[in-house]
């Protein structure tokens, strides 16, 4: 074996004997995933300087730097390349392999077969789809390559491993050019043990490439229609959770959320944003606990600026969007749907921020007047409210359709504020830690009852459990729009018509975040989840296998309340404790009591909104109307501003385009 001087990195050339996009993709992916230990280069058969613009557009949309990427011919690369090559991977068409040139230094060589995206026929969208497929395939292979323990492998073993990564389904790899094999690789310093690469996020449908946190923040929905989840769950030990006791809420939030950032935001900057976020809450404990019974508790989550639990995440997200610009820089257009509380919290977090425009869709006539006015009376020029003639599910479908329209999404620079955005879920997991630690965790288990519509809030409890918090049970509390309760009873997920209720934020039949749980229930099989979502999208529903349902029931339980039961529960709580709770919170309390389980395990019901947001329901249940906080005392005197549109995607897109154009013209005139 030839002994060579150790170097800090291995130099890897991706050689594309055809369209150079594939080698450029591989170079960009490796330089991000290799963690400094693998350095990527690319060369193709095209003359220097020719790069397919679709390849560059795709890399830009995914947040990859493209400044150093350019197509280099083989001869030019051989003449100009100064670092010696350790590995050469030819990235060629599946149909045929072309011979590769002889490289000095006898590097290890392997061959990968990848679809040529430039050969795709059809219109521009068909070609873009081909480029996305090629990128996704290379992403999987290059990520696996970056994870190989190259320091510990001899040349023959490494070549075999690379060849295995390069095999297309059910096809043997084309033969290697024998002149490019090698005897050995240079020795290199080993990676420190226990050090993991930065956390990345994967789609629940398995086709979109992994993204970093800052990319996921702006992406919202994945390009394959799925939702992003962490590729692995950060975990805290019992000792680490015990050490959180005594921290302020903001300090705890920084500790819990930081593992999800993957190094995308400097620690000092993130801590400052979190501190500023919760400084605007009007209770010193931020999320105080109130005792309802011997071992029954109410977690008050309505002490933020808009009096709802959505403030915990959305006041932070406005700061995150400001701090972490999108791939294009400049303006970001925030779009989302609200069933009542999300919209006002998102508006409060984004109003008057110069680089943000926010558009909020709400179902006309299906939210309370207080909820509507909290949105439509905001006079900030960057705030746009749209009432849709339909249900919340219609609003949510319109938002997803806008993200699915790639050209519109990129042109408008869309980002999402709904709980489809991972940053929402991440921030909401914190108050589960706060409540459980206050009640004795990690030394004892704690159960939670969560008013649930879109499944985002209860899913945040699931995230906390995955991180090591001892959560004994998560109770899904729902109104007559009970698709989640029916699923847990039967294993069948079947939407029905939305029925208006006294708890409008739960008037939902398609719970978007449920897809994230399905992903884990199906062993993170994205293809399987995509098939289930396709069945749902075709207008029906789907049924999960019995073992998957059993797995869900190990943690989740469910209970439903209709309007009469909700009114009775509000009255009971007020009569027995003197507390006023809103309709959603009352359903949470009732559900926790109905499926109580072990009486020694504390049951915490989440109080998700201030009762003053629902004066009619409170009057019906208690005979009294809770007063609005002083900052909202004149809410019913303020002028409203919003548009009413039909449930039509083209109409909504036209309004967004016109509003953005008018704002740009206005800024130019100023």
């Amino acid at each position: 074996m030839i002994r060579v001087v150790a170097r800090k990195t291995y130099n890897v050339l991706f050689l594309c004997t055809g369209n150079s996009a594939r080698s450029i993709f591989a170079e960009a992916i490796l330089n991000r995933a290799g963690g400094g230990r693998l350095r990527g280069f690319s060369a193709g058969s095209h003359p220097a300087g020719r790069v397919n613009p679709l390849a560059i557009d795709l890399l830009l949309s995914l947040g990859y730097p493209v400044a150093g990427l350019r197509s280099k011919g083989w001869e030019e690369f051989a003449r100009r390349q100064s670092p010696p090559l350790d590995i050469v991977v030819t990235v060629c068409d599946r149909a045929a392999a072309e011979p590769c040139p002889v490289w000095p230094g006898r590097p290890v060589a392997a061959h990968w077969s990848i679809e040529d995206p430039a050969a795709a026929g059809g219109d521009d969208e068909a070609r873009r789809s081909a480029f996305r497929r090629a990128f996704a395939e290379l992403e999987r292979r290059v990520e696996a390559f970056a994870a190989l323990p190259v320091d510990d492998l001899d040349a023959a073993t490494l070549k075999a491993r690379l060849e295995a990564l390069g095999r297309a389904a059910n096809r043997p790899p084309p033969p290697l050019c024998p002149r490019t094999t090698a005897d050995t690789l240079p020795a290199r310093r080993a990676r420190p043990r226990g050090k993991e690469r930065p956390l990345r996020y994967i789609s629940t449908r398995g086709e979109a490439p992994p993204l970093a946190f800052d990319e996921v923040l702006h992406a919202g929905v994945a390009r394959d229609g799925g939702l992003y989840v962490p590729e692995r769950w950060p975990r805290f030990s019992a000792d680490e959770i015990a050490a959180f006791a005594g921290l302020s809420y903001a300090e705890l939030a920084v500790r819990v959320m930081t593992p999800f950032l993957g190094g995308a935001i400097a620690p000092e900057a993130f801590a400052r944003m979190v501190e500023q976020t919760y400084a605007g809450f009007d209770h010193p404990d931020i999320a105080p606990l109130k005792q309802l019974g011997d071992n029954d508790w109410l977690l008050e989550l309505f002490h933020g600026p808009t009096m709802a639990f959505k403030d915990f995440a959305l006041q932070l997200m406005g700061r995150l969007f400001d701090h972490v610009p999108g791939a294009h820089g400049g303006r970001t257009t925030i779009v989302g749907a609200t069933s009542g509380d999300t919209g006002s919290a998102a508006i409060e977090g984004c109003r008057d921020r110069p680089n943000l425009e926010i558009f909020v869709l709400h179902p006309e006539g299906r939210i309370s007047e207080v909820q509507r006015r909290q949105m439509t009376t905001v006079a900030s020029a960057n705030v746009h409210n749209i009432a849709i003639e339909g249900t919340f599910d219609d609003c949510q479908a319109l938002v997803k359709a806008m993200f699915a329209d790639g050209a519109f999404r990129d042109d408008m620079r869309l980002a999402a504020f709904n709980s489809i955005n991972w940053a929402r879920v991440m921030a909401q997991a914190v108050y589960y830690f706060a409540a459980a630690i206050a009640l004795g965790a990690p030394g004892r288990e704690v159960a939670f009852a969560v008013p649930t519509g879109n499944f985002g809030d209860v899913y945040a409890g699931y995230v906390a459990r995955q991180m090591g918090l001892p959560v004994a049970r998560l109770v899904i509390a729902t109104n007559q729009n009970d698709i989640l309760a029916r699923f847990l009873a039967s294993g069948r997920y079947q939407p029905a018509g939305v029925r208006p209720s006294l708890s409008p934020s739960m008037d939902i039949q398609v719970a978007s975040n449920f897809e994230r749980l399905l992903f884990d229930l199906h062993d993170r099989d994205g293809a399987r989840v995509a098939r289930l979502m396709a069945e749902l999208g075709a207008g029906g529903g789907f049924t999960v296998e019995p073992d998957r349902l059993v797995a869900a029931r190990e943690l989740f339980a469910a209970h439903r309340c209709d309007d009469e039961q909700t009114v009775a529960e509000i009255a009971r709580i007020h009569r027995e404790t003197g507390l006023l709770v809103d309709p959603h919170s009352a359903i949470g309390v009732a559900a926790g009591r109905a499926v109580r389980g072990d009486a020694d395990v504390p049951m915490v019901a989440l109080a998700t909104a201030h009762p003053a947001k629902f004066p009619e329901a409170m009057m019906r249940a208690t005979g009294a109307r809770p007063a609005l906080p002083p900052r909202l005392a004149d809410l019913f005197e303020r002028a409203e501003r919003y548009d009413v549109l039909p449930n039509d995607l083209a109409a909504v897109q036209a309004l967004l385009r016109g509003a953005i154009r008018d704002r740009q013209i206005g800024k130019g005139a100023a």
Side-chain angles (χ1 to χ4, degrees):
M1 181 177 292
I2 301 173
R3 183 173 181 81
V4 297
V5 177
R7 295 194 303 275
K8 292 183 179 180
T9 59
Y10 295 124
N11 296 317
V12 182
L13 172 67
F14 293 96
L15 180 63
C16 192
T17 56
N19 182 271
S20 60
R22 288 163 292 177
S23 59
I24 286 174
F25 284 161
E27 176 187 358
I29 296 164
L30 186 70
N31 283 334
R32 172 172 290 183
R37 56 198 288 269
L38 299 170
R39 182 183 180 193
F41 302 90
S42 62
S45 59
H46 287 314
R50 287 187 58 188
V51 180
N52 193 306
L54 291 177
I56 297 301
D57 287 346
L58 178 58
L59 288 169
L60 281 170
S61 72
L62 297 173
Y64 281 81
V66 299
L69 299 178
R70 57 189 290 266
S71 177
K72 296 170 281 293
W74 297 349
E75 294 81 8
E76 181 200 15
F77 187 90
R79 184 175 65 253
R80 295 177 179 270
Q81 182 62 28
S82 55
L85 295 174
D86 304 308
I87 304 168
V88 174
V89 179
T90 55
V91 185
C92 305
D93 296 345
R94 290 202 171 105
E98 298 178 25
C100 43
V102 177
W103 295 94
R106 295 172 59 81
V108 168
H111 187 102
W112 291 357
S113 300
I114 299 287
E115 172 189 3
D116 182 359
D123 57 14
D124 284 348
E125 186 52 38
R127 287 190 289 273
R128 288 190 185 94
S129 295
F131 274 82
R132 288 193 291 268
R133 286 194 303 272
F135 183 94
E137 188 169 353
L138 280 164
E139 178 89 6
R140 290 191 292 270
R141 297 184 185 190
V142 175
E143 288 277 349
F145 177 13
L148 289 175
V150 294
D151 309 287
D152 303 323
L153 300 178
D154 59 38
T157 303
L158 178 60
K159 181 174 70 174
R161 292 281 194 93
L162 290 173
E163 284 291 303
L165 290 176
R167 291 187 179 95
N170 301 319
R171 286 175 57 104
L176 278 173
C177 174
R179 292 174 296 174
T180 59
T181 59
D183 297 321
T184 187
L185 274 175
R188 202 188 66 83
R189 191 167 49 214
R191 176 192 289 192
R193 295 208 175 269
K195 185 177 181 181
E196 294 182 317
R197 68 177 182 179
L199 184 68
R200 303 189 73 191
Y201 292 82
I202 56 177
S203 169
T204 53
R205 302 191 190 179
E207 291 298 322
L211 299 182
F213 173 79
D214 53 336
E215 298 165 319
V216 165
L217 174 68
H218 285 272
V221 179
R223 296 275 172 169
D224 60 4
L227 303 182
Y228 281 108
V229 296
E231 62 183 351
R232 63 181 183 273
W233 291 110
R235 294 280 298 183
F236 294 119
S237 68
D239 288 344
E240 288 172 320
I241 294 173
F244 293 161
L247 296 179
S248 70
Y249 190 90
E251 291 168 335
L252 175 65
V254 171
R255 298 283 187 91
V256 172
M257 288 190 283
T258 293
F260 291 111
L261 304 182
I265 301 174
E268 299 81 3
F270 184 64
R272 184 169 58 253
M273 284 186 279
V274 172
E275 186 68 35
Q276 292 169 350
T277 293
Y278 299 115
F281 283 54
D282 62 12
H283 194 286
D285 294 336
I286 310 301
L289 279 166
K290 295 286 182 67
Q291 191 163 10
L292 298 176
D294 290 343
N295 211 10
D296 297 304
W297 303 83
L298 192 70
L299 181 62
E300 292 186 346
L301 302 176
F302 50 73
H303 293 284
T306 69
M307 307 188 302
F309 78 97
K310 310 296 178 71
D311 285 320
F312 281 83
L314 288 167
Q315 303 313 310
L316 175 62
M317 282 182 67
R319 293 173 168 85
L320 288 171
F321 281 127
D322 249 4
H323 183 80
V324 184
H328 299 282
R331 185 199 77 242
T332 296
T333 302
I334 314 296
V335 178
T338 183
S339 56
D341 294 323
T342 301
S344 58
I347 287 169
E348 184 66 26
C350 297
R351 63 186 296 178
D352 300 319
R353 296 186 182 274
N355 292 325
L356 301 182
E357 297 288 326
I358 181 167
F359 293 82
V360 180
L361 281 61
H362 73 266
E364 186 184 22
R366 289 176 177 259
I367 60 177
S368 78
E369 185 177 6
V370 173
Q371 288 175 315
R372 187 190 75 240
R373 285 181 168 273
Q374 280 188 287
M375 297 185 291
T376 59
T377 60
V378 176
S380 303
N382 71 325
V383 172
H384 313 268
N385 284 286
I386 306 171
I388 298 297
E389 296 171 336
T391 67
F392 169 77
D393 287 343
D394 295 325
C395 297
Q396 187 163 247
L398 288 168
V399 171
K400 290 183 177 180
M402 283 188 274
F403 276 90
D405 184 338
F408 181 81
R409 174 179 184 161
D410 294 339
D411 187 34
M412 292 290 100
R413 303 177 185 177
L414 295 187
F417 66 70
N418 283 95
S419 54
I420 57 177
N421 192 313
W422 177 258
R424 277 276 307 275
V425 178
M426 170 188 81
Q428 289 170 200
V430 177
Y431 45 70
Y432 287 91
F433 276 89
I437 291 168
L439 293 172
R444 70 191 304 195
E445 290 187 314
V446 180
F448 294 89
V450 188
T452 302
N454 214 19
F455 202 74
D457 203 10
V458 72
Y459 180 77
Y462 171 80
V463 170
R465 186 176 189 261
Q466 295 298 96
M467 298 179 74
L469 193 69
V471 176
R473 176 172 287 191
L474 291 169
V475 180
I476 296 169
T478 184
N479 61 19
Q480 55 256 42
N481 297 289
D482 59 351
I483 184 171
L484 295 168
R486 287 185 282 113
F487 168 80
L488 280 178
S490 68
R492 177 72 181 168
Y493 189 85
Q494 179 72 56
V498 176
R499 298 165 58 192
S501 75
L502 294 175
S503 47
S505 297
M506 299 193 293
D507 290 349
I508 298 170
Q509 283 287 342
V510 180
S512 289
N513 281 283
F514 190 58
E515 181 172 339
R516 286 181 162 126
L517 179 65
L518 286 173
F519 186 56
D520 276 3
L521 288 177
H522 290 85
D523 303 318
R524 300 204 146 197
D525 183 346
R528 177 60 179 146
V529 172
R531 289 194 294 271
L532 294 176
M533 292 300 105
E535 292 177 34
L536 180 64
F542 58 80
T543 302
V544 301
E545 295 87 351
D547 60 328
R548 314 293 180 179
L549 181 59
V550 169
R553 289 171 175 168
E554 289 177 358
L555 176 62
F556 292 93
H559 182 75
R560 74 183 291 277
C561 291
D562 61 22
D563 279 354
E564 291 304 318
Q565 292 168 319
T566 302
V567 169
E569 185 67 10
I570 295 171
R572 185 195 69 79
I573 295 170
H574 184 246
R575 183 174 63 252
E576 295 181 4
T577 70
L579 295 175
L580 289 174
V581 298
D582 86 289
H584 307 79
S585 308
I587 293 173
V589 174
R593 193 174 68 256
V595 293
R596 185 68 176 79
D598 187 347
D600 291 331
V601 175
M603 174 62 74
V604 180
L606 273 58
T608 53
H610 194 289
K613 300 187 82 165
F614 307 94
E616 291 80 10
M618 303 309 298
M619 185 70 182
R620 178 175 166 184
T622 68
R625 289 176 178 264
L628 288 167
R631 65 178 179 276
L632 294 175
D634 65 342
L635 181 66
F636 291 95
E637 302 167 14
R638 301 175 188 174
E640 293 188 84
R641 179 173 60 92
Y642 64 100
D643 294 283
V644 180
L645 291 181
N647 179 21
D648 179 75
L649 177 62
V652 176
Q653 289 179 316
L655 188 147
L656 262 68
R657 289 188 186 278
I660 293 295
R661 181 184 62 248
D662 292 346
R663 286 277 289 155
Q664 290 174 332
I665 292 172
K667 288 181 178 179

